[in-house]
Amino acid sequence: MDFESAGKRTRYIVDKYDFYFKKRFGQNFLIDDRVLDKIIDASAVGKEDTVLEIGPGIGTLTERLLKKAKRVIAVEIDRDLSGILKETLSEYDNLVLINEDIMKVDMAELSREYNEGRPFKIIANLPYYITTPIIMGIFESGAPVKDMTVMVQKEVAERMEALPGSKDYGALSLAVYYYAKPYLAARVPRNCFMPRPNVDSAVIKLTVYDERPVDVKDERLMFSIIRAVFNQRRKTMINSISGSKDLSFTKDEIKEVLRKAGFNEDIRGEKLTLSEFAKISDILSQ
Ligand code: SAM
């Protein structure tokens, strides 16, 4: 069925199937056509792409993706929605619908089964209660993903693309920079969703690097240092690293490392770039 607008489509389906929204699954459906167009444009999806959509919901974005992409694999946790999607999107033969928790899905396996082992584009209006675990899980597992164009809470998008020294800069910004190039594609007010959430949102595109932008000997050590520094961002690096439960360096050792790396003793982590953290981590790992 063709609908005049995403809002009308959503209302029709919610009423027809007597669907009730489940807060625990972060169900806020996008009802603004211009925002849907912006997501599609930012993703640059085309007929050669296989898309992995996380949380298709009532299928508004899914239907647009089905018209643009070669294939859409949609993973939805809510069994009620899976049933609705099966019926409402039955005319499309390029949809693979999987009723599962995305955190339990093996993306490498999905890519072998449905995309000849090649990387997906991820396009999604993410459930906000697990945005960071989903994105970091994809990065850290090395899942076959080309890029992700995702709707996230506005504050999370701002942290992802924050620059050194700004108030939003932190462990999430550095983790994103290590794996991908961020681009904030749109800011989205809360009235573009049904039901209306308590926060504003933003669409961010993360293009995964083929090669990491910095070389670091011990990735885990670098991220432990980063976490220690930003868990206590008001402290000097010497105090935050030496005080961390996950690390076992003395103040004198850190002082010596900072000297070797060319930093002052009273430096704080807030202004350091990813390559400076890599440099400190490499000297500490020796
Ligand atoms: N894509 C739809 C849209 O734009 O209107 C719905 C987006 S809504 C913010 C998030 C969707 O993710 C919901 O449909 C929810 O049921 C689903 N979801 C929540 N947790 C999930 C999980 N762990 N795995 C897969 N889907 C999940």
Side-chain angles (χ1 to χ4, degrees), residues 24 39 44 50 60 63 88 199 209 224:
R24 69 179 189 282
I39 296 176
T50 296
T60 316
E63 184 157 28
T88 51
V199 292
Y209 292 126
S224 297

Side-chain angles (χ1 to χ4, degrees), residues 136-143 145 174-181 207-217 219-220 222-223 274-275 278:
M136 290 315 298
I138 289 168
F139 284 152
E140 286 168 4
S141 68
V145 172
L174 285 153
V176 165
Y177 289 146
Y178 187 61
Y179 295 102
K181 188 173 162 35
T207 306
V208 180
Y209 292 126
D210 291 332
E211 275 177 43
R212 305 265 184 271
V214 300
D215 276 330
V216 62
K217 291 197 181 95
E219 234 174 73
R220 287 169 64 124
M222 179 177 77
F223 281 109
L274 182 61
S275 53

Side-chain angles (χ1 to χ4, degrees), residues 8 13 53 55 58 76 86 116 122 134-135 155 169 173 179 189 209 211-213 224 233 246 259 276 278:
K8 288 206 169 132
I13 295 176
E53 189 191 5
I58 215 140
E76 173 57 62
K86 212 177 266 175
E116 295 150 11
I122 291 191
I134 292 174
I135 294 178
E155 289 74 13
Y169 187 61
S173 334
Y179 295 102
Y209 292 126
E211 275 177 43
R212 305 265 184 271
S224 297
R233 60 191 296 154
D246 300 334
R259 193 190 57 74
E276 288 170 331

Side-chain angles (χ1 to χ4, degrees), residues 52 72 106 110 118 120 131 134 136 138 200 243 267 271 278:
L52 176 59
V72 178
D106 180 345
L110 270 190
R118 292 199 312 254
F120 302 114
T131 301
I134 292 174
M136 290 315 298
I138 289 168
D200 292 321
I267 182 106
K271 292 201 173 123

Side-chain angles (χ1 to χ4, degrees), residues 16-215:
K16 178 173 173 197
Y17 292 92
D18 219 4
F19 176 75
Y20 69 96
F21 293 90
K22 300 176 190 76
K23 225 176 173 178
R24 69 179 189 282
F25 289 149
Q27 291 177 345
N28 299 96
F29 298 154
L30 191 51
I31 51 166
D32 188 293
D33 293 282
R34 279 168 312 175
V35 176
L36 285 153
D37 290 342
K38 275 190 190 160
I39 296 176
I40 300 282
D41 287 351
S43 74
V45 59
K47 275 292 167 208
E48 68 291 351
D49 295 310
T50 296
V51 172
L52 176 59
E53 189 191 5
I54 300 166
I58 215 140
T60 316
L61 177 60
T62 322
E63 184 157 28
R64 289 176 192 231
L65 293 171
L66 285 164
K67 288 178 180 161
K68 290 267 180 183
K70 180 165 99 185
R71 177 177 277 165
V72 178
I73 303 167
V75 179
E76 173 57 62
I77 198 169
D78 185 344
R79 201 185 306 159
D80 295 343
L81 285 174
S82 292
I84 295 173
L85 289 165
K86 212 177 266 175
E87 253 185 71
T88 51
L89 299 176
S90 61
E91 68 189 272
Y92 297 94
D93 59 8
N94 55 342
L95 172 66
V96 177
L97 186 60
I98 300 177
N99 180 206
E100 182 56 281
D101 178 349
I102 190 64
M103 301 306 285
K104 295 186 183 149
V105 166
D106 180 345
M107 293 189 190
E109 177 72 43
L110 270 190
S111 145
R112 281 192 291 277
E113 198 169 343
Y114 297 109
N115 200 28
E116 295 150 11
R118 292 199 312 254
F120 302 114
K121 265 180 178 298
I122 291 191
I123 304 176
N125 172 14
L126 289 177
Y128 292 174
Y129 73 103
I130 43 166
T131 301
T132 311
I134 292 174
I135 294 178
M136 290 315 298
I138 289 168
F139 284 152
E140 286 168 4
S141 68
V145 172
K146 218 190 292 187
D147 50 51
M148 304 186 225
T149 306
V150 287
M151 177 90 73
V152 299
Q153 192 176 321
K154 188 185 93 192
E155 289 74 13
V156 174
E158 286 167 351
R159 277 162 42 209
M160 284 180 175
E161 57 132 38
L163 295 174
S166 73
K167 74 170 180 15
D168 294 321
Y169 187 61
L172 183 62
S173 334
L174 285 153
V176 165
Y177 289 146
Y178 187 61
Y179 295 102
K181 188 173 162 35
Y183 163 67
L184 204 149
R187 292 178 190 277
V188 182
R190 58 195 79 183
N191 61 3
C192 295
F193 299 88
M194 182 178 149
R196 188 187 287 212
N198 297 327
V199 292
D200 292 321
S201 300
V203 177
I204 192 157
K205 181 169 185 179
L206 305 170
T207 306
V208 180
Y209 292 126
D210 291 332
E211 275 177 43
R212 305 265 184 271
V214 300
D215 276 330

